[in-house]
Amino acid sequence: MSEYSMPETFAQADSIGFSTAVLDSIFANPAYGLPADSVAVDGTPDGVHVAVVERPSGAEEGMLGAAYRTPVGSNSFLLGFLLLIVVVISVNSASLRRILKNYYNELWSIRIRPNVFDENPSSSRSMSVMLALQFIAMGGVCAYYGCVPMLEATGIAAVFSCMAVVGVYYLFQRCAYWLLGYAFATPDRRRQFVAGFAASQAFAGMAFIIPAFLLMEFPAWREGTLIFCAGVYICSRLIFISKGFRIFYRQIGSLLYFILYLCSLEIIPLFAVYFCLVRLVEYTY
């Protein structure tokens, strides 16, 4: 039996039946003209299949890139608009304190009081308009984040559309409450009823300031922030409804009218507004 001697070179190993394809691929160097990412197939014995590995091209394979959309929290126009409302209200601190004190009384009390607008009508009415605008703007931002999926909160047009819907809903409620007071209450009670609505929305709008900015800057806090906003809005509505009950309740028969009021002005319109917001966000996104 002949003694086996180890080959000293790759050429000798190939001549006695060893495949050097893998070794040639490992030791290949582009400087010698052999690509490093391919497998040499020269000298491979018959019946041996060698897989050829090719690098995929990033330009030919993969997913198509999508256009970058600026998040709502990074939109300077929206941030500037919201900050402008807050600054304008904060600058008129004397008028703000006076009207908030009056709104507090209008929110809880049903005692007939002098109208605060009779003392300084121009400044008080302008401040009431700014507080209503603040509620519409901050409430629109919160309503937008409540309707759009978290990772898709990038539609600036949808935000202003939600503000428009909240504004229309605010005007609808104010007109409806005025008509309700005109039909079922005295002029003083009607004024109290409408003023109570304005007061509830003004305090809710002030409570929405911090949550609105948190939703834009920290979307990860969205769930807890929206729960807080919903709680604030529900509390403001319950306080206003309780005042309306004290104004309009006269006898047991008036409960029927009060139930009709709840269904027609408090429950059904709210669901209709939510449906409009969801559809509008889907359309404008």
Side-chain angles (χ1 to χ4, degrees), residues 36-50:
D37 59 343
S38 62
V39 177
V41 295
D42 295 337
T44 304
D46 295 338
V48 178
H49 301 281
V50 180

Side-chain angles (χ1 to χ4, degrees), residues 81-82 85 132-142 159 163 166 212:
F81 175 71
L82 298 177
I85 296 175
L133 181 61
Q134 178 177 255
F135 167 78
I136 292 171
M138 302 301 175
V141 172
C142 297
V159 178
M163 292 182 186
V166 174

Side-chain angles (χ1 to χ4, degrees), residues 134 138 142 201-212 228-229 232-233:
Q134 178 177 255
M138 302 301 175
C142 297
Q201 303 303 84
F203 284 115
M206 296 189 69
F208 287 161
I209 295 176
I210 296 178
F228 173 80
C229 293
V232 168
Y233 186 75

Side-chain angles (χ1 to χ4, degrees), residues 9-74:
T9 64
F10 289 158
Q12 293 178 1
D14 185 57
S15 63
I16 61 176
F18 287 91
S19 175
T20 62
V22 178
L23 295 177
D24 291 340
S25 177
I26 294 175
F27 291 101
N29 193 313
Y32 297 102
L34 185 61
D37 59 343
S38 62
V39 177
V41 295
D42 295 337
T44 304
D46 295 338
V48 178
H49 301 281
V50 180
V52 179
V53 181
E54 296 181 356
R55 291 179 179 177
S57 174
E60 298 177 356
E61 300 181 10
M63 300 177 61
L64 294 176
Y68 177 75
R69 304 184 66 178
T70 304
V72 171
S74 302

Side-chain angles (χ1 to χ4, degrees), residues 30-259:
Y32 297 102
L34 185 61
D37 59 343
S38 62
V39 177
V41 295
D42 295 337
T44 304
D46 295 338
V48 178
H49 301 281
V50 180
V52 179
V53 181
E54 296 181 356
R55 291 179 179 177
S57 174
E60 298 177 356
E61 300 181 10
M63 300 177 61
L64 294 176
Y68 177 75
R69 304 184 66 178
T70 304
V72 171
S74 302
N75 190 283
S76 57
F77 180 77
L78 177 61
L79 290 174
F81 175 71
L82 298 177
L83 288 174
L84 179 62
I85 296 175
V86 176
V87 170
V88 170
I89 292 176
S90 302
V91 167
N92 301 318
S93 57
S95 179
L96 178 62
R97 286 195 300 268
R98 184 170 59 253
I99 196 171
L100 288 182
K101 181 180 179 180
N102 181 74
Y103 272 168
Y104 179 81
N105 294 326
E106 294 289 356
L107 190 61
W108 295 101
S109 177
I110 59 174
R111 185 165 63 91
I112 302 298
R113 298 173 181 271
N115 192 349
V116 68
F117 297 143
D118 295 336
E119 301 175 2
N120 194 351
S122 60
S123 61
S124 298
R125 293 186 187 280
S126 61
M127 181 56 63
S128 65
V129 171
M130 290 303 302
L131 289 174
L133 181 61
Q134 178 177 255
F135 167 78
I136 292 171
M138 302 301 175
V141 172
C142 297
Y144 168 76
Y145 278 93
C147 298
V148 71
M150 181 175 179
L151 298 179
E152 299 179 1
T154 57
I156 186 63
V159 178
F160 285 100
S161 299
C162 290
M163 292 182 186
V165 173
V166 174
V168 172
Y169 183 49
Y170 180 90
L171 294 177
F172 164 78
Q173 286 182 306
R174 193 175 183 105
C175 295
Y177 296 146
W178 188 91
L179 291 174
L180 185 65
Y182 180 82
F184 297 99
T186 63
D188 289 333
R189 295 303 185 188
R190 180 180 69 238
R191 183 191 62 80
Q192 280 189 330
F193 188 53
V194 176
F197 166 73
S200 65
Q201 303 303 84
F203 284 115
M206 296 189 69
F208 287 161
I209 295 176
I210 296 178
F213 286 104
L214 287 178
L215 286 171
M216 291 189 296
E217 300 299 330
F218 302 98
W221 298 358
R222 162 184 171 150
E223 183 177 354
T225 306
L226 289 177
I227 292 175
F228 173 80
C229 293
V232 168
Y233 186 75
I234 291 173
C235 289
S236 67
R237 302 307 299 165
L238 290 178
I239 294 173
F240 170 68
I241 291 173
S242 66
K243 179 174 182 177
F245 181 80
R246 289 182 292 164
I247 289 176
F248 293 106
Y249 180 76
R250 293 292 180 270
Q251 54 187 357
I252 192 66
S254 60
L255 286 177
L256 176 61
Y257 294 101
F258 192 78
I259 294 173

